[in-house]
Amino acid sequence: TWENGGEILGAFLKTTKDCLFSPTRFFRSVARGKGYWSPLIYGIICGIIGFGVAIIWQWLFFSRLIPLPLIPFIPYNLILLILTITLPLMMAFSIFVGSVITHICLIFVGGNKRGFEATFRVVSYAWCGNLFEVIPFIGCAVGSIYTLILSIIGIREVHGISTGKAVIAVLLPMIIIGILIIMAIIIPIFFFGTRFVGSVGV
């Protein structure tokens, strides 16, 4: 609906409803689509709404913990202005980088059936999951998890691969990051722990 023209708000709401609650059918239709700009703009709008409201919630929460007179050097209007200017750029950058990383992992698992454009479209539309971030406190977790779920379904349907390959392609970057973090924690502990035990023995 979003790419068919017509009234913008109605198309946005219909597309969001279909993507969130009928993702399998939605991404099958996305597989037949072409183009970068419409999905990118849709993803940016979803990101601005989700992350923007989440930032407001966080600001309201922390402003209660930190008295405003303690942070007079950060004018609230200046923060809003900076976010207004940079948030769309950050959303576009995140979508592009996420698409590139996902597609590289997709190639790694042998699931690249329709090319980068298809992956980019999936990642862009899957960002509607970030709309859940408007929910206070739990929204960020729910939005992140649901965005991953939508990405997996989208990659599976658009590229016509198994669910297992789609899961690996989407989650592989996080798995690698998790392993690196664990290694960064364990290796220093092991290294310094061995030296400590050796020094005690001496």
Side-chain angles (χ1 to χ4, degrees):
T1 304
W2 175 255
E3 298 183 37
N4 292 335
E7 197 266 321
I8 295 179
L9 179 59
F12 178 83
L13 294 177
K14 178 66 167 59
T15 299
T16 302
K17 172 178 168 293
D18 291 343
C19 185
L20 290 178
F21 304 112
S22 304
T24 300
R25 183 178 61 188
F26 173 80
F27 282 110
R28 284 176 182 170
S29 66
V30 167
R32 297 192 294 268
K34 295 290 183 181
Y36 292 88
W37 281 110
S38 291
L40 176 61
I41 293 172
Y42 175 83
I44 290 174
I45 293 174
C46 291
I48 290 174
I49 295 173
F51 286 103
V53 175
I55 290 172
I56 293 175
W57 285 126
Q58 291 176 10
W59 174 265
L60 293 176
F61 176 73
F62 284 113
S63 66
R64 292 181 177 275
L65 297 179
I66 304 175
L68 291 179
L70 295 180
I71 50 175
F73 54 91
I74 310 179
Y76 183 64
N77 292 335
L78 177 60
I79 294 177
L80 288 180
L81 178 61
I82 294 174
L83 289 177
T84 301
I85 296 174
T86 60
L87 196 56
L89 297 176
M90 289 189 294
M91 296 300 102
F93 178 78
S94 299
I95 290 173
F96 177 75
V97 172
S99 300
V100 171
I101 294 175
T102 301
H103 195 68
I104 291 174
C105 294
L106 193 60
I107 294 174
F108 178 77
V109 300
N112 176 28
K113 301 295 181 63
R114 291 181 176 267
F116 175 74
E117 181 180 11
T119 303
F120 184 88
R121 291 171 61 82
V122 168
V123 173
S124 296
Y125 281 115
W127 267 54
C128 69
N130 290 308
L131 292 173
F132 284 106
E133 298 200 16
V134 301
I135 304 173
F137 304 113
I138 64 172
C140 290
V142 174
S144 298
I145 294 173
Y146 203 68
T147 298
L148 290 176
I149 293 174
L150 292 177
S151 299
I152 292 171
I153 295 174
I155 291 296
R156 182 192 68 192
E157 297 300 324
V158 169
H159 286 280
I161 60 177
S162 66
T163 301
K165 285 187 175 181
V167 170
I168 294 174
V170 173
L171 299 184
L172 186 58
M174 287 178 288
I175 295 174
I176 294 175
I177 292 174
I179 293 174
L180 292 176
I181 292 175
I182 293 174
M183 291 178 61
I185 295 174
I186 292 178
I187 291 177
I189 292 177
F190 177 80
F191 178 75
F192 289 110
T194 304
R195 291 184 58 183
F196 176 75
V197 172
S199 64
V200 171
V202 173

PDB file of all heavy atoms in Angstrom, residues 107-143:
ATOM      1  N   ILE A 107      24.699 -14.001   2.317  1.00  0.00           N
ATOM      2  CA  ILE A 107      25.600 -14.622   1.340  1.00  0.00           C
ATOM      3  C   ILE A 107      26.393 -15.745   1.999  1.00  0.00           C
ATOM      4  O   ILE A 107      26.610 -16.811   1.407  1.00  0.00           O
ATOM      5  CB  ILE A 107      26.554 -13.561   0.741  1.00  0.00           C
ATOM      6  CG1 ILE A 107      25.757 -12.538  -0.080  1.00  0.00           C
ATOM      7  CG2 ILE A 107      27.621 -14.219  -0.120  1.00  0.00           C
ATOM      8  CD1 ILE A 107      26.595 -11.373  -0.582  1.00  0.00           C
ATOM      9  N   PHE A 108      26.811 -15.517   3.234  1.00  0.00           N
ATOM     10  CA  PHE A 108      27.602 -16.502   3.972  1.00  0.00           C
ATOM     11  C   PHE A 108      26.849 -17.819   4.144  1.00  0.00           C
ATOM     12  O   PHE A 108      27.448 -18.911   4.055  1.00  0.00           O
ATOM     13  CB  PHE A 108      27.999 -15.931   5.336  1.00  0.00           C
ATOM     14  CG  PHE A 108      28.767 -16.878   6.199  1.00  0.00           C
ATOM     15  CD1 PHE A 108      30.102 -17.123   5.973  1.00  0.00           C
ATOM     16  CD2 PHE A 108      28.133 -17.541   7.254  1.00  0.00           C
ATOM     17  CE1 PHE A 108      30.818 -18.014   6.773  1.00  0.00           C
ATOM     18  CE2 PHE A 108      28.835 -18.426   8.058  1.00  0.00           C
ATOM     19  CZ  PHE A 108      30.179 -18.662   7.817  1.00  0.00           C
ATOM     20  N   VAL A 109      25.531 -17.732   4.386  1.00  0.00           N
ATOM     21  CA  VAL A 109      24.738 -18.955   4.587  1.00  0.00           C
ATOM     22  C   VAL A 109      24.161 -19.478   3.277  1.00  0.00           C
ATOM     23  O   VAL A 109      23.407 -20.460   3.271  1.00  0.00           O
ATOM     24  CB  VAL A 109      23.597 -18.713   5.603  1.00  0.00           C
ATOM     25  CG1 VAL A 109      24.153 -18.282   6.943  1.00  0.00           C
ATOM     26  CG2 VAL A 109      22.596 -17.676   5.075  1.00  0.00           C
ATOM     27  N   GLY A 110      24.503 -18.835   2.168  1.00  0.00           N
ATOM     28  CA  GLY A 110      24.025 -19.292   0.868  1.00  0.00           C
ATOM     29  C   GLY A 110      22.563 -18.991   0.621  1.00  0.00           C
ATOM     30  O   GLY A 110      21.872 -19.764  -0.058  1.00  0.00           O
ATOM     31  N   GLY A 111      22.077 -17.854   1.131  1.00  0.00           N
ATOM     32  CA  GLY A 111      20.658 -17.538   0.980  1.00  0.00           C
ATOM     33  C   GLY A 111      20.365 -16.341   0.104  1.00  0.00           C
ATOM     34  O   GLY A 111      19.237 -15.848   0.083  1.00  0.00           O
ATOM     35  N   ASN A 112      21.356 -15.840  -0.600  1.00  0.00           N
ATOM     36  CA  ASN A 112      21.157 -14.673  -1.445  1.00  0.00           C
ATOM     37  C   ASN A 112      20.503 -15.081  -2.759  1.00  0.00           C
ATOM     38  O   ASN A 112      21.172 -15.431  -3.727  1.00  0.00           O
ATOM     39  CB  ASN A 112      22.502 -13.983  -1.706  1.00  0.00           C
ATOM     40  CG  ASN A 112      22.364 -12.811  -2.657  1.00  0.00           C
ATOM     41  OD1 ASN A 112      21.305 -12.181  -2.741  1.00  0.00           O
ATOM     42  ND2 ASN A 112      23.419 -12.517  -3.392  1.00  0.00           N
ATOM     43  N   LYS A 113      19.173 -15.026  -2.795  1.00  0.00           N
ATOM     44  CA  LYS A 113      18.443 -15.450  -3.989  1.00  0.00           C
ATOM     45  C   LYS A 113      17.942 -14.275  -4.829  1.00  0.00           C
ATOM     46  O   LYS A 113      17.756 -14.418  -6.043  1.00  0.00           O
ATOM     47  CB  LYS A 113      17.229 -16.298  -3.565  1.00  0.00           C
ATOM     48  CG  LYS A 113      17.589 -17.544  -2.757  1.00  0.00           C
ATOM     49  CD  LYS A 113      18.382 -18.530  -3.566  1.00  0.00           C
ATOM     50  CE  LYS A 113      18.715 -19.785  -2.766  1.00  0.00           C
ATOM     51  NZ  LYS A 113      17.526 -20.547  -2.340  1.00  0.00           N
ATOM     52  N   ARG A 114      17.738 -13.106  -4.215  1.00  0.00           N
ATOM     53  CA  ARG A 114      17.159 -11.980  -4.944  1.00  0.00           C
ATOM     54  C   ARG A 114      18.011 -10.719  -4.918  1.00  0.00           C
ATOM     55  O   ARG A 114      17.566  -9.670  -5.381  1.00  0.00           O
ATOM     56  CB  ARG A 114      15.757 -11.667  -4.395  1.00  0.00           C
ATOM     57  CG  ARG A 114      14.718 -12.734  -4.712  1.00  0.00           C
ATOM     58  CD  ARG A 114      13.370 -12.337  -4.163  1.00  0.00           C
ATOM     59  NE  ARG A 114      12.349 -13.296  -4.531  1.00  0.00           N
ATOM     60  CZ  ARG A 114      11.570 -13.196  -5.604  1.00  0.00           C
ATOM     61  NH1 ARG A 114      11.716 -12.171  -6.415  1.00  0.00           N
ATOM     62  NH2 ARG A 114      10.652 -14.113  -5.851  1.00  0.00           N
ATOM     63  N   GLY A 115      19.200 -10.774  -4.349  1.00  0.00           N
ATOM     64  CA  GLY A 115      20.089  -9.633  -4.384  1.00  0.00           C
ATOM     65  C   GLY A 115      19.919  -8.678  -3.217  1.00  0.00           C
ATOM     66  O   GLY A 115      19.028  -8.831  -2.367  1.00  0.00           O
ATOM     67  N   PHE A 116      20.791  -7.667  -3.188  1.00  0.00           N
ATOM     68  CA  PHE A 116      20.824  -6.725  -2.064  1.00  0.00           C
ATOM     69  C   PHE A 116      19.552  -5.897  -1.970  1.00  0.00           C
ATOM     70  O   PHE A 116      19.103  -5.569  -0.867  1.00  0.00           O
ATOM     71  CB  PHE A 116      22.033  -5.793  -2.217  1.00  0.00           C
ATOM     72  CG  PHE A 116      22.098  -4.712  -1.178  1.00  0.00           C
ATOM     73  CD1 PHE A 116      22.461  -5.015   0.125  1.00  0.00           C
ATOM     74  CD2 PHE A 116      21.773  -3.402  -1.496  1.00  0.00           C
ATOM     75  CE1 PHE A 116      22.511  -4.030   1.103  1.00  0.00           C
ATOM     76  CE2 PHE A 116      21.825  -2.408  -0.530  1.00  0.00           C
ATOM     77  CZ  PHE A 116      22.189  -2.720   0.772  1.00  0.00           C
ATOM     78  N   GLU A 117      18.964  -5.546  -3.103  1.00  0.00           N
ATOM     79  CA  GLU A 117      17.758  -4.712  -3.082  1.00  0.00           C
ATOM     80  C   GLU A 117      16.660  -5.368  -2.258  1.00  0.00           C
ATOM     81  O   GLU A 117      15.973  -4.699  -1.471  1.00  0.00           O
ATOM     82  CB  GLU A 117      17.265  -4.465  -4.506  1.00  0.00           C
ATOM     83  CG  GLU A 117      16.030  -3.575  -4.576  1.00  0.00           C
ATOM     84  CD  GLU A 117      15.563  -3.343  -5.998  1.00  0.00           C
ATOM     85  OE1 GLU A 117      16.065  -4.024  -6.923  1.00  0.00           O
ATOM     86  OE2 GLU A 117      14.682  -2.481  -6.198  1.00  0.00           O
ATOM     87  N   ALA A 118      16.483  -6.670  -2.412  1.00  0.00           N
ATOM     88  CA  ALA A 118      15.450  -7.380  -1.658  1.00  0.00           C
ATOM     89  C   ALA A 118      15.745  -7.339  -0.161  1.00  0.00           C
ATOM     90  O   ALA A 118      14.840  -7.123   0.661  1.00  0.00           O
ATOM     91  CB  ALA A 118      15.365  -8.832  -2.142  1.00  0.00           C
ATOM     92  N   THR A 119      17.017  -7.533   0.206  1.00  0.00           N
ATOM     93  CA  THR A 119      17.398  -7.471   1.624  1.00  0.00           C
ATOM     94  C   THR A 119      17.153  -6.079   2.188  1.00  0.00           C
ATOM     95  O   THR A 119      16.646  -5.929   3.305  1.00  0.00           O
ATOM     96  CB  THR A 119      18.884  -7.844   1.788  1.00  0.00           C
ATOM     97  OG1 THR A 119      19.107  -9.143   1.240  1.00  0.00           O
ATOM     98  CG2 THR A 119      19.285  -7.847   3.256  1.00  0.00           C
ATOM     99  N   PHE A 120      17.517  -5.059   1.428  1.00  0.00           N
ATOM    100  CA  PHE A 120      17.326  -3.676   1.863  1.00  0.00           C
ATOM    101  C   PHE A 120      15.845  -3.388   2.100  1.00  0.00           C
ATOM    102  O   PHE A 120      15.480  -2.733   3.096  1.00  0.00           O
ATOM    103  CB  PHE A 120      17.888  -2.720   0.815  1.00  0.00           C
ATOM    104  CG  PHE A 120      17.823  -1.275   1.206  1.00  0.00           C
ATOM    105  CD1 PHE A 120      18.852  -0.700   1.933  1.00  0.00           C
ATOM    106  CD2 PHE A 120      16.736  -0.494   0.854  1.00  0.00           C
ATOM    107  CE1 PHE A 120      18.794   0.641   2.303  1.00  0.00           C
ATOM    108  CE2 PHE A 120      16.665   0.840   1.213  1.00  0.00           C
ATOM    109  CZ  PHE A 120      17.699   1.413   1.942  1.00  0.00           C
ATOM    110  N   ARG A 121      14.992  -3.865   1.225  1.00  0.00           N
ATOM    111  CA  ARG A 121      13.554  -3.635   1.373  1.00  0.00           C
ATOM    112  C   ARG A 121      13.021  -4.318   2.624  1.00  0.00           C
ATOM    113  O   ARG A 121      12.195  -3.756   3.352  1.00  0.00           O
ATOM    114  CB  ARG A 121      12.824  -4.132   0.126  1.00  0.00           C
ATOM    115  CG  ARG A 121      13.099  -3.287  -1.124  1.00  0.00           C
ATOM    116  CD  ARG A 121      12.525  -3.949  -2.374  1.00  0.00           C
ATOM    117  NE  ARG A 121      11.089  -4.109  -2.286  1.00  0.00           N
ATOM    118  CZ  ARG A 121      10.213  -3.150  -2.558  1.00  0.00           C
ATOM    119  NH1 ARG A 121      10.634  -1.958  -2.950  1.00  0.00           N
ATOM    120  NH2 ARG A 121       8.914  -3.378  -2.448  1.00  0.00           N
ATOM    121  N   VAL A 122      13.503  -5.525   2.901  1.00  0.00           N
ATOM    122  CA  VAL A 122      13.071  -6.237   4.100  1.00  0.00           C
ATOM    123  C   VAL A 122      13.474  -5.475   5.355  1.00  0.00           C
ATOM    124  O   VAL A 122      12.654  -5.243   6.253  1.00  0.00           O
ATOM    125  CB  VAL A 122      13.674  -7.658   4.133  1.00  0.00           C
ATOM    126  CG1 VAL A 122      13.472  -8.295   5.510  1.00  0.00           C
ATOM    127  CG2 VAL A 122      13.037  -8.523   3.068  1.00  0.00           C
ATOM    128  N   VAL A 123      14.734  -5.082   5.434  1.00  0.00           N
ATOM    129  CA  VAL A 123      15.223  -4.374   6.627  1.00  0.00           C
ATOM    130  C   VAL A 123      14.460  -3.061   6.819  1.00  0.00           C
ATOM    131  O   VAL A 123      14.087  -2.708   7.951  1.00  0.00           O
ATOM    132  CB  VAL A 123      16.736  -4.103   6.512  1.00  0.00           C
ATOM    133  CG1 VAL A 123      17.219  -3.221   7.662  1.00  0.00           C
ATOM    134  CG2 VAL A 123      17.512  -5.418   6.501  1.00  0.00           C
ATOM    135  N   SER A 124      14.206  -2.349   5.739  1.00  0.00           N
ATOM    136  CA  SER A 124      13.503  -1.066   5.826  1.00  0.00           C
ATOM    137  C   SER A 124      12.097  -1.249   6.383  1.00  0.00           C
ATOM    138  O   SER A 124      11.674  -0.534   7.305  1.00  0.00           O
ATOM    139  CB  SER A 124      13.436  -0.412   4.446  1.00  0.00           C
ATOM    140  OG  SER A 124      14.723  -0.092   3.958  1.00  0.00           O
ATOM    141  N   TYR A 125      11.353  -2.204   5.840  1.00  0.00           N
ATOM    142  CA  TYR A 125       9.981  -2.404   6.306  1.00  0.00           C
ATOM    143  C   TYR A 125       9.939  -3.046   7.689  1.00  0.00           C
ATOM    144  O   TYR A 125       9.014  -2.786   8.470  1.00  0.00           O
ATOM    145  CB  TYR A 125       9.205  -3.255   5.307  1.00  0.00           C
ATOM    146  CG  TYR A 125       8.736  -2.469   4.104  1.00  0.00           C
ATOM    147  CD1 TYR A 125       9.226  -2.741   2.827  1.00  0.00           C
ATOM    148  CD2 TYR A 125       7.805  -1.449   4.238  1.00  0.00           C
ATOM    149  CE1 TYR A 125       8.807  -2.017   1.723  1.00  0.00           C
ATOM    150  CE2 TYR A 125       7.375  -0.719   3.138  1.00  0.00           C
ATOM    151  CZ  TYR A 125       7.880  -1.003   1.886  1.00  0.00           C
ATOM    152  OH  TYR A 125       7.457  -0.270   0.794  1.00  0.00           O
ATOM    153  N   ALA A 126      10.928  -3.873   7.999  1.00  0.00           N
ATOM    154  CA  ALA A 126      10.962  -4.508   9.325  1.00  0.00           C
ATOM    155  C   ALA A 126      11.142  -3.489  10.437  1.00  0.00           C
ATOM    156  O   ALA A 126      10.844  -3.778  11.604  1.00  0.00           O
ATOM    157  CB  ALA A 126      12.072  -5.554   9.384  1.00  0.00           C
ATOM    158  N   TRP A 127      11.597  -2.300  10.084  1.00  0.00           N
ATOM    159  CA  TRP A 127      11.798  -1.272  11.100  1.00  0.00           C
ATOM    160  C   TRP A 127      10.492  -0.766  11.699  1.00  0.00           C
ATOM    161  O   TRP A 127      10.507  -0.023  12.678  1.00  0.00           O
ATOM    162  CB  TRP A 127      12.612  -0.106  10.513  1.00  0.00           C
ATOM    163  CG  TRP A 127      14.063  -0.296  10.761  1.00  0.00           C
ATOM    164  CD1 TRP A 127      14.814  -1.381  10.441  1.00  0.00           C
ATOM    165  CD2 TRP A 127      14.960   0.608  11.423  1.00  0.00           C
ATOM    166  NE1 TRP A 127      16.119  -1.210  10.838  1.00  0.00           N
ATOM    167  CE2 TRP A 127      16.235   0.002  11.445  1.00  0.00           C
ATOM    168  CE3 TRP A 127      14.813   1.878  11.965  1.00  0.00           C
ATOM    169  CZ2 TRP A 127      17.340   0.610  12.012  1.00  0.00           C
ATOM    170  CZ3 TRP A 127      15.914   2.489  12.529  1.00  0.00           C
ATOM    171  CH2 TRP A 127      17.165   1.855  12.551  1.00  0.00           C
ATOM    172  N   CYS A 128       9.371  -1.185  11.145  1.00  0.00           N
ATOM    173  CA  CYS A 128       8.108  -0.803  11.770  1.00  0.00           C
ATOM    174  C   CYS A 128       7.983  -1.431  13.156  1.00  0.00           C
ATOM    175  O   CYS A 128       7.201  -0.962  13.989  1.00  0.00           O
ATOM    176  CB  CYS A 128       6.919  -1.186  10.888  1.00  0.00           C
ATOM    177  SG  CYS A 128       6.637  -2.965  10.749  1.00  0.00           S
ATOM    178  N   GLY A 129       8.772  -2.496  13.416  1.00  0.00           N
ATOM    179  CA  GLY A 129       8.771  -3.065  14.764  1.00  0.00           C
ATOM    180  C   GLY A 129       9.234  -2.083  15.819  1.00  0.00           C
ATOM    181  O   GLY A 129       8.855  -2.189  16.992  1.00  0.00           O
ATOM    182  N   ASN A 130      10.036  -1.099  15.408  1.00  0.00           N
ATOM    183  CA  ASN A 130      10.512  -0.090  16.355  1.00  0.00           C
ATOM    184  C   ASN A 130       9.402   0.833  16.844  1.00  0.00           C
ATOM    185  O   ASN A 130       9.607   1.594  17.798  1.00  0.00           O
ATOM    186  CB  ASN A 130      11.615   0.750  15.717  1.00  0.00           C
ATOM    187  CG  ASN A 130      12.894  -0.046  15.513  1.00  0.00           C
ATOM    188  OD1 ASN A 130      13.389  -0.670  16.432  1.00  0.00           O
ATOM    189  ND2 ASN A 130      13.424  -0.029  14.298  1.00  0.00           N
ATOM    190  N   LEU A 131       8.233   0.769  16.212  1.00  0.00           N
ATOM    191  CA  LEU A 131       7.107   1.593  16.675  1.00  0.00           C
ATOM    192  C   LEU A 131       6.666   1.192  18.078  1.00  0.00           C
ATOM    193  O   LEU A 131       6.062   1.988  18.796  1.00  0.00           O
ATOM    194  CB  LEU A 131       5.927   1.470  15.701  1.00  0.00           C
ATOM    195  CG  LEU A 131       6.146   2.090  14.310  1.00  0.00           C
ATOM    196  CD1 LEU A 131       4.988   1.742  13.395  1.00  0.00           C
ATOM    197  CD2 LEU A 131       6.304   3.600  14.422  1.00  0.00           C
ATOM    198  N   PHE A 132       6.969  -0.037  18.479  1.00  0.00           N
ATOM    199  CA  PHE A 132       6.620  -0.480  19.835  1.00  0.00           C
ATOM    200  C   PHE A 132       7.409   0.281  20.899  1.00  0.00           C
ATOM    201  O   PHE A 132       7.070   0.205  22.087  1.00  0.00           O
ATOM    202  CB  PHE A 132       6.868  -1.979  19.990  1.00  0.00           C
ATOM    203  CG  PHE A 132       5.831  -2.839  19.331  1.00  0.00           C
ATOM    204  CD1 PHE A 132       6.116  -3.518  18.161  1.00  0.00           C
ATOM    205  CD2 PHE A 132       4.565  -2.954  19.870  1.00  0.00           C
ATOM    206  CE1 PHE A 132       5.159  -4.314  17.542  1.00  0.00           C
ATOM    207  CE2 PHE A 132       3.594  -3.737  19.272  1.00  0.00           C
ATOM    208  CZ  PHE A 132       3.890  -4.419  18.095  1.00  0.00           C
ATOM    209  N   GLU A 133       8.440   1.001  20.477  1.00  0.00           N
ATOM    210  CA  GLU A 133       9.243   1.736  21.450  1.00  0.00           C
ATOM    211  C   GLU A 133       8.498   2.931  22.051  1.00  0.00           C
ATOM    212  O   GLU A 133       8.994   3.569  22.975  1.00  0.00           O
ATOM    213  CB  GLU A 133      10.548   2.196  20.805  1.00  0.00           C
ATOM    214  CG  GLU A 133      11.418   1.037  20.348  1.00  0.00           C
ATOM    215  CD  GLU A 133      12.868   1.435  20.152  1.00  0.00           C
ATOM    216  OE1 GLU A 133      13.263   2.504  20.654  1.00  0.00           O
ATOM    217  OE2 GLU A 133      13.601   0.676  19.512  1.00  0.00           O
ATOM    218  N   VAL A 134       7.321   3.221  21.514  1.00  0.00           N
ATOM    219  CA  VAL A 134       6.509   4.292  22.107  1.00  0.00           C
ATOM    220  C   VAL A 134       5.944   3.849  23.455  1.00  0.00           C
ATOM    221  O   VAL A 134       5.474   4.683  24.237  1.00  0.00           O
ATOM    222  CB  VAL A 134       5.356   4.709  21.171  1.00  0.00           C
ATOM    223  CG1 VAL A 134       5.906   5.193  19.830  1.00  0.00           C
ATOM    224  CG2 VAL A 134       4.362   3.574  20.954  1.00  0.00           C
ATOM    225  N   ILE A 135       5.991   2.535  23.747  1.00  0.00           N
ATOM    226  CA  ILE A 135       5.514   2.028  25.029  1.00  0.00           C
ATOM    227  C   ILE A 135       6.580   2.315  26.092  1.00  0.00           C
ATOM    228  O   ILE A 135       7.747   1.960  25.906  1.00  0.00           O
ATOM    229  CB  ILE A 135       5.253   0.510  24.960  1.00  0.00           C
ATOM    230  CG1 ILE A 135       4.272   0.196  23.840  1.00  0.00           C
ATOM    231  CG2 ILE A 135       4.737  -0.011  26.303  1.00  0.00           C
ATOM    232  CD1 ILE A 135       4.085  -1.299  23.608  1.00  0.00           C
ATOM    233  N   PRO A 136       6.213   2.949  27.196  1.00  0.00           N
ATOM    234  CA  PRO A 136       7.217   3.266  28.223  1.00  0.00           C
ATOM    235  C   PRO A 136       7.846   2.015  28.824  1.00  0.00           C
ATOM    236  O   PRO A 136       7.194   0.983  28.974  1.00  0.00           O
ATOM    237  CB  PRO A 136       6.399   4.029  29.283  1.00  0.00           C
ATOM    238  CG  PRO A 136       5.159   4.488  28.573  1.00  0.00           C
ATOM    239  CD  PRO A 136       4.878   3.454  27.534  1.00  0.00           C
ATOM    240  N   PHE A 137       9.132   2.106  29.145  1.00  0.00           N
ATOM    241  CA  PHE A 137       9.910   1.112  29.884  1.00  0.00           C
ATOM    242  C   PHE A 137      10.178  -0.173  29.085  1.00  0.00           C
ATOM    243  O   PHE A 137      11.328  -0.549  28.903  1.00  0.00           O
ATOM    244  CB  PHE A 137       9.235   0.774  31.227  1.00  0.00           C
ATOM    245  CG  PHE A 137       8.990   1.970  32.097  1.00  0.00           C
ATOM    246  CD1 PHE A 137       7.706   2.402  32.372  1.00  0.00           C
ATOM    247  CD2 PHE A 137      10.056   2.685  32.621  1.00  0.00           C
ATOM    248  CE1 PHE A 137       7.484   3.510  33.153  1.00  0.00           C
ATOM    249  CE2 PHE A 137       9.845   3.799  33.419  1.00  0.00           C
ATOM    250  CZ  PHE A 137       8.559   4.218  33.678  1.00  0.00           C
ATOM    251  N   ILE A 138       9.138  -0.875  28.647  1.00  0.00           N
ATOM    252  CA  ILE A 138       9.356  -2.157  27.969  1.00  0.00           C
ATOM    253  C   ILE A 138       9.398  -2.015  26.455  1.00  0.00           C
ATOM    254  O   ILE A 138       9.682  -2.986  25.745  1.00  0.00           O
ATOM    255  CB  ILE A 138       8.264  -3.180  28.351  1.00  0.00           C
ATOM    256  CG1 ILE A 138       6.888  -2.705  27.852  1.00  0.00           C
ATOM    257  CG2 ILE A 138       8.259  -3.413  29.852  1.00  0.00           C
ATOM    258  CD1 ILE A 138       5.801  -3.749  28.010  1.00  0.00           C
ATOM    259  N   GLY A 139       9.113  -0.818  25.946  1.00  0.00           N
ATOM    260  CA  GLY A 139       8.993  -0.632  24.509  1.00  0.00           C
ATOM    261  C   GLY A 139      10.263  -0.935  23.741  1.00  0.00           C
ATOM    262  O   GLY A 139      10.209  -1.528  22.652  1.00  0.00           O
ATOM    263  N   CYS A 140      11.412  -0.539  24.276  1.00  0.00           N
ATOM    264  CA  CYS A 140      12.679  -0.754  23.575  1.00  0.00           C
ATOM    265  C   CYS A 140      12.958  -2.239  23.392  1.00  0.00           C
ATOM    266  O   CYS A 140      13.371  -2.677  22.310  1.00  0.00           O
ATOM    267  CB  CYS A 140      13.823  -0.088  24.338  1.00  0.00           C
ATOM    268  SG  CYS A 140      13.778   1.714  24.285  1.00  0.00           S
ATOM    269  N   ALA A 141      12.731  -3.020  24.441  1.00  0.00           N
ATOM    270  CA  ALA A 141      12.964  -4.465  24.356  1.00  0.00           C
ATOM    271  C   ALA A 141      11.988  -5.120  23.387  1.00  0.00           C
ATOM    272  O   ALA A 141      12.381  -5.925  22.530  1.00  0.00           O
ATOM    273  CB  ALA A 141      12.841  -5.098  25.743  1.00  0.00           C
ATOM    274  N   VAL A 142      10.710  -4.765  23.516  1.00  0.00           N
ATOM    275  CA  VAL A 142       9.697  -5.344  22.631  1.00  0.00           C
ATOM    276  C   VAL A 142       9.971  -4.965  21.177  1.00  0.00           C
ATOM    277  O   VAL A 142       9.912  -5.805  20.272  1.00  0.00           O
ATOM    278  CB  VAL A 142       8.287  -4.877  23.043  1.00  0.00           C
ATOM    279  CG1 VAL A 142       7.241  -5.353  22.032  1.00  0.00           C
ATOM    280  CG2 VAL A 142       7.934  -5.388  24.431  1.00  0.00           C
ATOM    281  N   GLY A 143      10.288  -3.686  20.947  1.00  0.00           N
ATOM    282  CA  GLY A 143      10.550  -3.229  19.584  1.00  0.00           C
ATOM    283  C   GLY A 143      11.746  -3.912  18.956  1.00  0.00           C
ATOM    284  O   GLY A 143      11.705  -4.319  17.790  1.00  0.00           O
TER     285      GLY A 143
END
